[in-house]
Amino acid sequence: MRKFSRIVTFLLAGSLVGLTGCAVQTTKEKEAKAAGHQQSQQEKQVKTEKKKVEKTIYVKIVDPNTKSIIKTIKPKDMGFGTDNDKYNAELAVLTRELARGTKDTPGYDKRMILDKLDANGLLIKGRPQTILDEEELTEKIIQASLKGGKVEIPLYVTASGYKQEEAAQLGQVVVASYTTHFNSGMPGRTKNIELSAKAINNIIIGAGDSFSFNTTVGPSDAEHGYQPAPEALNGKLVDGIGGGICQTSSTLYNAIDKLTVSYIEKHHHSLHVGYVPTGRDATVSYGGKDFRFKNTTGVPLMLKAIVRKGTITVEVRTAKIYLNQVERR
């Protein structure tokens, strides 16, 4: 009996040791499993963070009128964050092309087409000036380059600086004028002067407006009725379509120069022309040299171009109420 009790005691002790061993083993397995799970979670988190870091950032440039995306860029590919000088240089090219256009795509910048009165005194509306602010667009793109998103093109539209109800009165008084002479026996040249004079006649130049001869007159080609006539080219007189329009632009220059306008663009001929004193000419060529000025006289003006036999006169007029306000040289 005593022997049996010892055996039972031994077996119970062995069982307890075995159970204790199982318990220890189970705990270690749990700890190992927990550690493995934690490592797996950490690896997933690292992968997630890596994906966040590697996420491609896009900046989408939006047309403010149509709300459509016209250009999508990847700042990182252009140097953002790694070579910011390169990035700024590329943005300068991009914004300039959007503003001024390329050979294949017109830009957002639009010169003002000035209003004018027709032969019956009715107002013909032109087009306001539109300017894309390149510096502002660049700044907007840079701000969006960190997180991505859409950037709307900043366009600024400027209407002509006069009151439409005063349009008919702007031809009341002459504040400046100039006359030049030409040989009316040259039919081609005479026709070209007449056509270009008609194009600038009754043009309204509001206070602060910019005038462009080429924009106002348009192409001086055969399609628009212009004829062959002598013109100055590279120091020589040659026959060319539209020869004579420079007499119109030069006559305008000498008239408007009596007022305090500021010049944007003006060029001289490559040789002396006989219809104005030396240095008092303003040559033009559609698609090339232009005659441009800004009306800084403080009042709205109207141009009158009158062609008679052998003469062209350009008058600058305004309304009586502005007569004492117009600034002269």
Side-chain angles (χ1 to χ4, degrees), residues 18-312:
L19 288 171
T20 303
C22 287
V24 171
Q25 186 178 1
T26 303
T27 301
K28 287 182 178 179
E29 287 177 352
K30 286 181 178 179
E31 289 176 352
K33 189 175 181 181
H37 178 70
Q38 186 177 1
Q39 184 177 356
S40 177
Q41 288 295 104
Q42 288 175 346
E43 288 175 354
K44 285 182 180 179
Q45 188 174 354
V46 169
K47 287 180 180 179
T48 302
E49 292 298 324
K50 193 173 180 181
K51 283 182 180 179
K52 286 181 181 178
V53 172
E54 293 177 350
K55 180 184 175 183
T56 303
I57 301 297
Y58 294 96
V59 175
K60 299 176 180 180
I61 302 172
V62 178
D63 184 303
N65 300 315
T66 64
K67 304 302 179 184
S68 59
I69 297 169
I70 61 161
K71 186 84 174 177
T72 300
I73 65 170
K74 292 195 288 185
K76 186 177 179 182
D77 289 355
M78 297 169 67
F80 178 70
T82 55
D83 188 345
N84 288 329
D85 288 340
K86 176 177 178 287
Y87 187 49
N88 290 334
E90 292 209 24
L91 287 184
V93 173
L94 171 63
T95 56
R96 184 169 60 249
E97 288 181 347
L98 287 173
R100 307 173 200 183
T102 64
K103 290 182 179 179
D104 303 318
T105 308
Y108 279 90
D109 284 359
K110 297 287 186 297
R111 285 183 184 175
M112 181 179 289
I113 296 177
L114 297 168
D115 297 353
K116 70 180 299 184
L117 297 182
D118 67 9
N120 298 314
L122 298 176
L123 185 65
I124 301 172
K125 290 295 294 177
R127 179 184 69 194
Q129 174 182 272
T130 302
I131 296 294
L132 186 157
D133 192 320
E134 297 173 39
E135 187 176 336
E136 183 180 342
L137 178 56
T138 298
E139 187 59 34
K140 282 186 171 185
I141 294 173
I142 290 173
Q143 289 176 1
S145 295
L146 191 61
K147 296 182 179 180
K150 293 181 179 180
V151 169
E152 192 167 275
I153 293 175
L155 295 180
Y156 294 92
V157 179
T158 305
S160 184
Y162 79 99
K163 299 175 183 177
Q164 289 191 24
E165 59 270 24
E166 294 178 354
Q169 303 168 31
L170 293 176
Q172 289 177 338
V173 290
V174 178
V175 292
S177 69
Y178 197 83
T179 299
T180 60
H181 300 263
F182 61 89
N183 183 357
S184 59
M186 301 175 68
R189 197 168 189 281
T190 300
K191 182 64 175 178
N192 297 338
I193 290 173
E194 289 173 347
L195 287 174
S196 54
K198 182 180 179 182
I200 67 170
N201 188 51
N202 285 341
I203 286 289
I204 297 170
I205 312 172
D209 288 359
S210 294
F211 172 91
S212 161
F213 189 89
N214 286 344
T215 300
T216 303
V217 175
S220 53
D221 53 23
E223 186 178 347
H224 291 84
Y226 288 87
Q227 299 180 11
E231 60 181 0
L233 182 66
N234 297 326
K236 297 179 181 179
L237 271 179
V238 297
D239 276 346
I241 302 294
I245 65 168
C246 292
Q247 182 158 351
T248 304
S249 59
S250 296
T251 307
L252 169 60
Y253 161 53
N254 281 274
I256 203 71
D257 193 54
K258 296 179 180 181
L259 306 177
T260 56
V261 299
S262 57
Y263 295 106
I264 303 169
E265 182 180 355
K266 180 169 65 69
H267 307 274
H268 296 305
H269 287 85
S270 55
L271 50 75
H272 172 70
V273 292
Y275 46 81
V276 291
T278 302
R280 300 297 301 173
D281 57 315
T283 185
V284 291
S285 175
Y286 189 79
K289 294 177 180 178
D290 198 358
F291 173 49
R292 295 192 291 149
F293 61 86
K294 185 174 183 178
N295 177 8
T296 49
T297 64
V299 303
L301 305 170
M302 177 183 285
L303 300 180
K304 286 284 185 179
I306 306 147
V307 178
R308 298 185 179 92
K309 188 175 182 179
T311 65
I312 173 173

